[in-house]
Amino acid sequence: MTSAQKTRAAQPAAGRRGGSPPESAAGRPPAGRRRRTAALTPWLFLAAPLTLLVMFTYIPVADMIGYSLTDWDGISPTRSYVGGENYTDLVTRPARFEVFLVSGFYLAASFVQIALALYFATVLSFNTRFRNLFKGLLFFPYLINGVAVGFVFLYFFQPDGTLDTLLRLFGVEGEHLWLGDPDLANPSLAGVSVWRFMGLNMVLFLGAIQSIPPHLYEAAALDGANRWQQFRHIIVPGIKPVISLSFILAVSGSLAVFEIPYIMTGGANGTETFVIQTVKLAFQFDKVGLASASAVVLLILIVLITWVQRRLIPEERVELS
């Protein structure tokens, strides 16, 4: 071996013994810095949504709780601390909670809505002609602004209006005060909520149904199972968490109904809900402190009912194979 070859062979060995580190590790940061970067990266992505959540949810809730302990009228630059006086006023006036009876109409309507949404989601999950068209038609009402929905159905429910005209085609004569009769107003408004929100539940159910492995349907068909048996033994167990979530949203939503009855009747003729009552306390009677206490009570009720539902119907991990 020549002297030049010996020199070239000795250079890598010298680098391994104590020279410069290999090229692959030359630009790599220390292990401690990598761990800190890996721990910090998720928080960088969460910074913006967490900031918005704190600014527009938690801080307003904290302010609302603070207002509920005062007698602020919403206008005066000063407000006096009254402690739990607003809550005492609410508790000692049971009439303020009678409006929750109106929520019963919306709760019953939400069960009808869930049943219809589950039916249409099941039908459209199979090979149905024009199913994409029907999906769009059923989901479209949810995309419409609530104010627009209210004004459209104001004309729909007018005496001798669209609904009365349709009923006459089926032999039902006469004019009906759909929004003026206390016996008809709440069922009519609840029907509007079914029409508007059914598409949202249908999309939730449809997404859950499509996540079920297709081979289960094939195996069931080979065993001679019909559509009803596939729905009962495959679809319902497979989407049980989504169904329980829909019931939780139905109960909380029925307690917090606002825009449809507020726009269409303003709470008249026995259609006033707890939220409409709270809004009137704040902006009509200038009792922002009392209205804030009402809002806090509603928040506590919704959280409590949701917790009870989760205890009665615990979340289960569904594994279909």
Side-chain angles (χ1 to χ4, degrees):
M1 180 181 295
T2 64
S3 60
Q5 291 173 338
K6 291 180 180 179
T7 303
R8 285 195 298 268
Q11 286 177 350
R16 286 194 298 270
R17 284 194 298 269
S20 60
E23 185 178 354
S24 59
R28 185 180 300 174
R33 185 185 302 177
R34 290 201 304 270
R35 286 195 295 269
R36 287 193 297 270
T37 302
L40 186 61
T41 299
W43 292 104
L44 293 176
F45 285 100
L46 290 172
L50 285 177
T51 301
L52 295 174
L53 181 65
V54 170
M55 289 179 58
F56 295 104
T57 301
Y58 294 118
I59 292 179
V61 169
D63 288 339
M64 181 181 65
I65 295 174
Y67 294 149
S68 70
L69 302 176
T70 67
D71 62 352
W72 190 41
D73 59 1
I75 301 174
S76 174
T78 60
R79 50 183 179 267
S80 302
Y81 177 79
V82 296
E85 184 177 325
N86 291 323
Y87 295 96
T88 304
D89 188 7
L90 289 173
V91 174
T92 55
R93 295 190 184 184
R96 295 194 185 278
F97 293 93
E98 291 179 359
V99 292
F100 279 122
L101 297 176
V102 177
S103 299
F105 291 94
Y106 296 94
L107 182 61
S110 64
F111 293 150
V112 176
Q113 169 189 312
I114 290 173
L116 290 174
L118 186 57
Y119 169 77
F120 285 116
T122 303
V123 171
L124 296 177
S125 64
F126 296 110
N127 290 325
T128 307
R129 293 185 62 185
F130 307 112
R131 62 177 180 176
N132 290 328
L133 174 63
F134 289 121
K135 289 177 187 177
L137 291 176
L138 292 172
F139 185 68
F140 179 72
Y142 180 70
L143 302 178
I144 304 176
N145 182 270
V147 177
V149 171
F151 279 111
V152 167
F153 276 91
L154 274 176
Y155 292 100
F156 183 78
F157 286 122
Q158 277 187 344
D160 201 23
T162 305
L163 182 56
D164 285 338
T165 303
L166 291 174
L167 290 176
R168 274 197 290 272
L169 296 177
F170 296 94
V172 180
E173 298 294 336
E175 297 181 2
H176 303 84
L177 299 175
W178 297 104
L179 301 179
D181 187 347
D183 295 330
L184 297 176
N186 283 312
S188 301
L189 296 175
V192 177
S193 68
V194 171
W195 179 83
R196 186 185 177 201
F197 294 105
M198 184 188 66
L200 175 62
N201 279 311
M202 184 203 69
V203 169
L204 294 176
F205 291 146
L206 192 60
I209 291 172
Q210 291 178 345
S211 67
I212 298 176
H215 67 84
L216 296 178
Y217 298 110
E218 298 172 1
L222 291 175
D223 290 338
N226 55 30
R227 295 297 190 193
W228 164 249
Q229 292 170 329
Q230 292 179 20
F231 171 78
R232 180 181 176 185
H233 298 287
I234 297 177
I235 293 178
V236 172
I239 66 172
K240 187 177 179 181
V242 180
I243 295 176
S244 62
L245 173 63
S246 296
F247 278 104
I248 291 174
L249 295 177
V251 174
S252 60
S254 64
L255 295 175
V257 173
F258 171 67
E259 58 183 8
I260 289 177
Y262 186 77
I263 293 167
M264 297 182 66
T265 64
N269 302 320
T271 61
E272 186 176 72
T273 63
F274 192 80
V275 179
I276 293 178
Q277 175 183 269
T278 302
V279 170
K280 286 183 176 181
L281 286 173
F283 300 105
Q284 185 173 339
F285 300 105
D286 297 330
K287 295 182 178 180
V288 175
L290 184 59
S292 299
S294 298
V296 172
V297 169
L298 180 61
L299 176 63
I300 293 173
L301 284 175
I302 292 176
V303 171
L304 181 61
I305 291 174
T306 303
W307 178 79
V308 171
Q309 283 184 297
R310 299 306 296 172
R311 297 289 293 180
L312 295 177
I313 310 175
E315 185 176 353
E316 299 178 1
R317 184 177 180 86
V318 179
E319 295 183 1
L320 297 175
S321 59

